[in-house]
Amino acid sequence: DGIPELDARISVCRACPRLVAWRETVAVEGRRASFADQPYWGRPGPSFGDPDAEVLVVGLAPAANGTNRTGRMFTGDRSGDWLYAALHRGGYASRPTSVSSGDGQVLRGLRIVAAVRCAPPENKPTTEEKATCAAWLDRDLELSEGRLRSMLALGSIAWDAAIGAARRRGWQVPTPKPRFGHGAEAVLTTASGRRVRLVGSYHVSQQNTFTGKLTEAMLDEVIGRL
Ligand code: SF4
């Protein structure tokens, strides 16, 4: 099977009881007032983008009123506004915004995945939830590695998830383990000898973008390295 089949399987996963309960509770009772008239997706977030991508963006996890509402990665929240605007400036996204499925957004050469596919309370998945969801990222890497050129990890959890998946796939990872930081970079080598550049970026969350910890110029610079 390929990426569409993988995404279909992810979208019905119920492996983490706490996250299943949270995503569904938010979708029914916990909707933000401004979205109260909208149906929520309330399921895991499948990947979004080009199935033949040479670049993967690895996020942390869906936002309760973002992906968990719209069903599309980084769509319908402030984090996504930042990310898609930057991907548009970088030539990967057809539009500078991602509002909902059906808005015409198309990613070329790039696909967005996440360390954890269900919205976690307070954006904090547990160690066990991260380990459980890692199986999906492993499969994403397996299906992509034949043409993969680079990966952008948004935040340290995504960085660790990417390195963990690479190791389980039998890729060579430098030792000691490369440390996350904004602008950090490591070269990973797939089992077939393909070199994949892993680039770190502070996450596009409001916590970083509102405070100026992550600026547009900083994000453009790391995207330019992909
Ligand atoms: Fe399944 Fe991942 Fe969601 Fe857990 S977080 S229920 S493994 S999709």
Side-chain angles (χ1 to χ4, degrees):
D1 56 358
I3 286 162
E5 291 76 16
L6 172 63
D7 283 334
R9 285 165 58 211
I10 290 172
S11 72
V12 294
C13 179
R14 303 183 67 85
C16 307
R18 187 185 79 118
L19 299 188
V20 171
W22 179 250
R23 77 193 193 202
E24 294 178 355
T25 299
V26 170
V28 177
E29 301 158 18
R31 285 183 281 184
R32 192 171 285 166
S34 50
F35 304 131
D37 59 338
Q38 296 185 13
Y40 270 47
W41 172 251
R43 289 158 57 185
S47 73
F48 178 62
D50 188 343
D52 297 321
E54 296 175 351
V55 178
L56 285 183
V57 172
V58 186
L60 165 54
N65 292 284
T67 298
N68 194 52
R69 174 172 60 90
T70 63
R72 187 201 277 172
M73 284 288 172
F74 285 98
T75 295
D77 60 22
R78 292 291 180 90
S79 300
D81 291 346
W82 262 73
L83 181 62
Y84 283 96
L87 294 178
H88 182 65
R89 291 193 297 272
Y92 291 106
S94 65
R95 303 165 65 91
T97 58
S98 183
V99 180
S100 62
S101 58
D103 63 2
Q105 176 63 266
V106 177
L107 297 178
R108 291 187 202 90
L110 180 145
R111 196 160 66 92
I112 306 175
V113 298
V116 172
R117 310 300 177 114
C118 292
E122 296 175 10
N123 293 323
K124 288 199 181 86
T126 64
T127 303
E128 188 184 352
E129 288 158 355
K130 285 187 273 190
T132 304
C133 210
W136 294 125
L137 188 61
D138 291 356
R139 184 75 181 128
D140 262 313
L141 238 55
E142 184 181 356
L143 291 172
S144 306
E145 66 186 11
R147 47 189 178 273
L148 204 57
R149 184 177 76 225
S150 53
M151 295 193 282
L152 179 68
L154 297 173
S156 63
I157 291 176
W159 177 267
D160 288 345
I163 288 178
R167 282 191 174 136
R168 286 186 299 274
R169 290 289 313 142
W171 297 13
Q172 282 173 37
V173 176
T175 47
K177 182 186 151 194
R179 290 184 57 155
F180 172 77
H182 184 84
E185 199 169 305
V187 175
L188 315 177
T189 309
T190 71
S192 65
R194 171 180 282 273
R195 288 158 65 85
V196 177
R197 178 181 289 193
L198 174 64
V199 181
S201 172
Y202 290 143
H203 194 278
V204 288
S205 68
Q206 283 181 280
Q207 208 177 321
N208 293 331
T209 57
F210 266 34
T211 57
K213 185 175 178 186
L214 178 66
T215 65
E216 285 185 0
M218 288 165 70
L219 189 54
D220 288 349
E221 193 275 324
V222 288
I223 288 175
R225 286 199 240 157
L226 300 175

